[in-house]
Amino acid sequence: MKKSSVIYIPAFLASCSFVSLSVAAESAVEPQERIKGGVFTLSDDSDKAAPSLSKALDDVLANSDADAAQPADPHERVLSVNSIVQQVLKQNSQVIYADIQRQVSAEKVNYESGVYQSEFFSNLNYSDAHTQRTAQEKLSSTTAGNLNVLDETNTSFSAGVRKLFTTGGEATISFDTVEKDNNIIPYSYTYADRPERDSEFTSAVRLQLTQPLLKGLNNVEIESRIRRAELEVNIVEAQYQQQLLKIVSQSLSLYWQLYKATRFLEIRNLAVENAEKMVVDIEKRIKSGKEPESALVDAKSELLKRKVALASARQVQNEVSYQISTLVNDDSDNLSMARYVLKSGPNQAPFELSGSFEEYYQRVYAIWPNAKILQQNIAIQDEEIRVAQDSGLPTLDLELGYSTSNLARESNTGDAFDSEYPTWNVGLSFSMPIGHNQRANAQKSMAMLKQEQHKQDLRAVEVSLKNDLRARLYQVNTTYQEMNTLKENINILEDLYLSEVRKFNLGYGNIKDIYLREDTLNLERQRHIDGVIKYELAKVSLSLADGSLLNM
């Protein structure tokens, strides 16, 4: 009787659906090998060397990524490296918050610059007085000395425009008019029939200019506030870039973790399928007297262990999926129904650094957000020093004024612009602290100390960045070598596994040895997948370190 020649697909072959895997494996084995129902069936000539399955596995891994791009289940969500980054940048709450913060900082520049906006002002007052006149008031009035009571109303109105200049000066142009009505005015004029009350109107046009000559010249304090607001915009922009790098790095890390969890789950799933087929086959072999009853117990025990491992792998995949849903701000009612289908696969090509390391470092340093933030903070302290130096100067202000006026018995505001009655004034205003300006000196010292702190931080960032780049480059190289070494070891373990299967098919092998070989092979395949993901994560870490992550 012909010996049974059933060979079970090792679980390490998992990378896509079982059917597509079987087809790929069929094309990889020799013509006398064939696949039936997802198992390898070899001819009795099993002493021939079995071909390596690595190439078939690589093809399946590639094809599974293409198949995943067309999900049939409405609950499936296609994810690729680009799509997860786009979703995160569009939907992540931290990114949205950081973007709003950029807008806030930009508005602060407008707020500080608004101090130079011209200002219109106006004032209207009315007063009514009925008071006794003093002896001095009576003596000073030659025509109304006999009046004991002043009965008067005043209505005044003023309006003008005030403007602050970048020189530190302020100019004001205004128009003032006053209507005065009382019982003394009639005595100032000749009336045939003297009325009890009469009115007179006064109007004037005034131009006033104040210009600091020492402290406040060129509006150092205001210009410094505007400049600091602009520097803070640059800081917030750099912080925004930091946030984007952090979130994109996190999203890519989760993507590759989900990729690894999915591949591990498929490996465990196929391991269970293989164990189930092994149980069926053992039952047949027991009936034909080829295996003892204890072999079935061992097979069922192995099946239970693999089901436990499958449940654990499924839990890991769910945890990573939930983390991705949180990162993209997905509040679906039933996240357990959402299944991510991964479109992008790992790029196992070697990483090559263009140019020398020093050139690479200089390019990275020029765009590195931490360095930009510290440079802007140093510039902010420069502004603080300028303000402190300005506040330490004495105050010396030049004041210039010019006005025209008109007095009439009836309202005629146009006459106020006549230059027949002009008034000029010029003056200087001076003040200074007695002794040293303690506040200004302390402000300057604090700014200089803070600036030195930022400079020390900047030097530390330069060293840290250079060392971090070296470490990340080394990590990329070592993980690439580790990945290739694991791949070579898989080829060796494949041969050992197939050799054990041939021995079993010839009747002198032990089923426990097959389990052991398969488990060893499964573990190495998982280590290889883990090595591939470590290589991808190492490249993500490098892109995070050199700031090129957003250019991917």
Side-chain angles (χ1 to χ4, degrees):
M1 180 182 291
K2 230 180 186 182
K3 290 188 176 69
S4 175
S5 55
V6 178
I7 298 181
Y8 294 89
I9 300 177
F12 75 92
L13 295 176
S15 63
C16 62
S17 67
F18 188 70
V19 175
S20 62
L21 178 60
S22 302
V23 174
E26 182 179 17
S27 64
V29 299
E30 293 184 351
Q32 67 270 23
E33 302 175 7
R34 56 194 181 277
I35 296 177
K36 288 184 179 179
V39 297
F40 283 112
T41 304
L42 298 184
S43 65
D44 285 335
D45 190 13
S46 54
D47 56 339
K48 291 185 178 180
S52 171
L53 301 175
S54 296
K55 185 178 187 304
L57 289 171
D58 292 340
D59 293 339
V60 170
L61 286 171
N63 292 335
S64 65
D65 295 329
D67 295 339
Q70 303 294 334
D73 192 330
H75 296 294
E76 291 183 348
R77 305 179 185 183
V78 177
L79 270 188
S80 66
V81 168
N82 290 333
S83 67
I84 190 174
V85 170
Q86 291 172 0
Q87 289 184 49
V88 166
L89 295 182
K90 183 179 180 181
Q91 298 171 215
N92 183 265
S93 58
Q94 296 181 38
V95 173
I96 296 173
Y97 178 90
D99 184 58
I100 295 175
Q101 188 61 37
R102 295 167 66 202
Q103 301 176 42
V104 171
S105 63
E107 289 301 324
K108 188 175 181 181
V109 177
N110 295 331
Y111 171 80
E112 296 294 350
S113 301
V115 71
Y116 289 116
Q117 186 173 2
S118 299
E119 179 186 13
F120 171 80
F121 64 90
S122 63
N123 188 28
L124 177 65
N125 285 314
Y126 174 80
S127 64
D128 191 340
H130 186 77
T131 59
Q132 292 178 312
R133 302 181 69 197
T134 64
Q136 184 178 0
E137 290 174 339
K138 291 179 181 180
L139 292 175
S140 62
S141 175
T142 58
T143 58
N146 60 336
L147 290 178
N148 296 322
V149 176
L150 172 65
D151 191 7
E152 181 180 66
T153 61
N154 280 286
T155 303
S156 62
F157 172 78
S158 64
V161 176
R162 187 181 297 112
K163 172 70 175 177
L164 184 66
F165 299 105
T166 57
T167 61
E170 182 180 76
T172 303
I173 182 170
S174 62
F175 170 78
D176 302 332
T177 181
V178 177
E179 177 188 3
K180 183 180 293 187
D181 182 277
N182 58 39
N183 57 346
I184 296 179
I185 294 176
Y187 290 92
S188 302
Y189 301 95
T190 303
Y191 292 102
D193 183 12
R194 181 173 292 164
E196 293 183 1
R197 297 171 64 96
D198 203 350
S199 301
E200 66 180 8
F201 296 85
T202 304
S203 57
V205 176
R206 292 186 174 85
L207 175 63
Q208 189 71 27
L209 175 64
T210 302
Q211 174 61 52
L213 300 179
L214 293 177
K215 179 180 178 179
L217 180 62
N218 296 323
N219 248 342
V220 173
E221 185 174 354
I222 293 177
E223 287 294 314
S224 179
R225 288 205 304 264
I226 296 174
R227 176 59 180 158
R228 277 180 287 181
E230 293 172 346
L231 293 171
E232 287 173 3
V233 169
N234 296 336
I235 290 176
V236 172
E237 182 65 30
Q239 291 173 340
Y240 178 69
Q241 295 297 320
Q242 278 184 323
Q243 187 66 35
L244 291 186
L245 288 171
K246 175 185 173 183
I247 293 297
V248 171
S249 171
Q250 187 177 355
S251 64
L252 292 178
S253 296
L254 286 176
Y255 178 89
W256 293 120
Q257 289 178 39
L258 181 60
Y259 183 95
K260 181 175 72 171
T262 302
R263 294 297 178 255
F264 279 16
L265 179 62
E266 291 170 350
I267 288 175
R268 293 302 182 186
N269 189 54
L270 282 183
V272 170
E273 292 179 6
N274 287 343
E276 289 172 344
K277 291 179 175 65
M278 181 66 78
V279 170
V280 174
D281 186 64
I282 292 297
E283 289 175 344
K284 293 179 182 179
R285 294 170 71 89
I286 289 174
K287 290 178 181 179
S288 62
K290 296 179 181 180
E291 293 289 342
E293 292 289 340
S294 60
L296 181 60
V297 177
D298 290 337
K300 289 182 177 180
S301 175
E302 183 67 23
L303 175 59
L304 292 175
K305 288 192 297 184
R306 293 187 179 189
K307 285 184 176 180
V308 171
L310 175 63
S312 177
R314 184 175 290 113
Q315 176 62 25
V316 172
Q317 186 195 45
N318 288 340
E319 287 293 334
V320 180
S321 298
Y322 293 156
Q323 291 180 40
I324 291 178
S325 297
T326 301
L327 191 65
V328 299
N329 210 19
D330 189 347
D331 58 351
S332 299
D333 294 334
N334 192 355
L335 286 177
S336 63
M337 297 296 294
R339 291 185 295 276
Y340 290 107
V341 180
L342 305 182
K343 183 178 178 181
S344 301
N347 179 9
Q348 301 184 36
F351 174 82
E352 295 182 359
L353 181 64
S354 60
S356 67
F357 175 79
E358 188 60 32
E359 293 173 344
Y360 173 63
Y361 165 74
Q362 292 299 333
R363 290 196 304 269
V364 173
Y365 181 76
I367 63 171
W368 189 234
N370 280 348
K372 286 185 176 181
I373 291 173
L374 291 171
Q375 289 166 355
Q376 302 306 307
N377 281 328
I378 291 173
I380 286 177
Q381 297 310 315
D382 281 334
E383 296 300 323
E384 289 284 351
I385 293 173
R386 284 183 57 211
V387 172
Q389 291 173 337
D390 178 75
S391 62
L393 296 174
T395 299
L396 179 61
D397 295 343
L398 174 65
E399 298 175 356
L400 298 173
Y402 174 78
S403 65
T404 62
S405 61
N406 178 66
L407 176 64
R409 292 174 57 193
E410 59 184 15
S411 177
N412 188 1
T413 57
D415 293 342
F417 293 90
D418 293 339
S419 58
E420 184 176 358
Y421 303 102
T423 301
W424 292 87
N425 69 281
V426 60
L428 290 172
S429 175
F430 178 81
S431 67
M432 64 175 295
I434 299 176
H436 294 291
N437 193 327
Q438 185 174 353
R439 296 188 63 186
N441 292 338
Q443 183 181 11
K444 182 178 179 180
S445 297
M446 288 189 297
M448 294 178 68
L449 291 172
K450 289 180 181 179
Q451 189 176 64
E452 184 60 29
Q453 285 180 324
H454 294 316
K455 288 180 179 179
Q456 292 298 328
D457 285 342
L458 185 58
R459 295 187 190 101
V461 165
E462 293 172 357
V463 174
S464 174
L465 177 59
K466 185 173 290 188
N467 290 334
D468 195 29
L469 290 176
R470 289 194 182 102
R472 299 286 79 79
L473 287 170
Y474 180 78
Q475 183 184 30
V476 168
N477 292 330
T478 54
T479 52
Y480 176 75
Q481 295 171 6
E482 178 184 350
M483 176 185 66
N484 289 334
T485 302
L486 289 169
K487 189 172 183 180
E488 293 175 1
N489 194 33
I490 286 174
N491 295 332
I492 297 174
L493 294 177
E494 284 177 9
D495 293 338
L496 293 174
Y497 171 77
L498 293 176
S499 175
E500 200 65 47
V501 171
R502 290 191 191 96
K503 289 167 58 179
F504 181 79
N505 288 338
L506 292 173
Y508 61 88
N510 190 329
I511 189 171
K512 291 185 178 180
D513 293 335
I514 292 180
Y515 289 147
L516 180 61
R517 289 296 184 189
E518 185 179 4
D519 288 341
T520 303
L521 195 50
N522 291 344
L523 179 60
E524 195 66 13
R525 174 54 67 175
Q526 289 180 346
R527 290 180 60 193
H528 176 254
I529 293 174
D530 187 60
V532 171
I533 300 308
K534 284 171 63 177
Y535 180 54
E536 285 294 336
L537 294 179
K539 290 187 290 185
V540 170
S541 297
L542 178 61
S543 298
L544 175 63
D546 65 16
S548 64
L549 198 58
L550 300 178
N551 300 328
M552 295 180 64

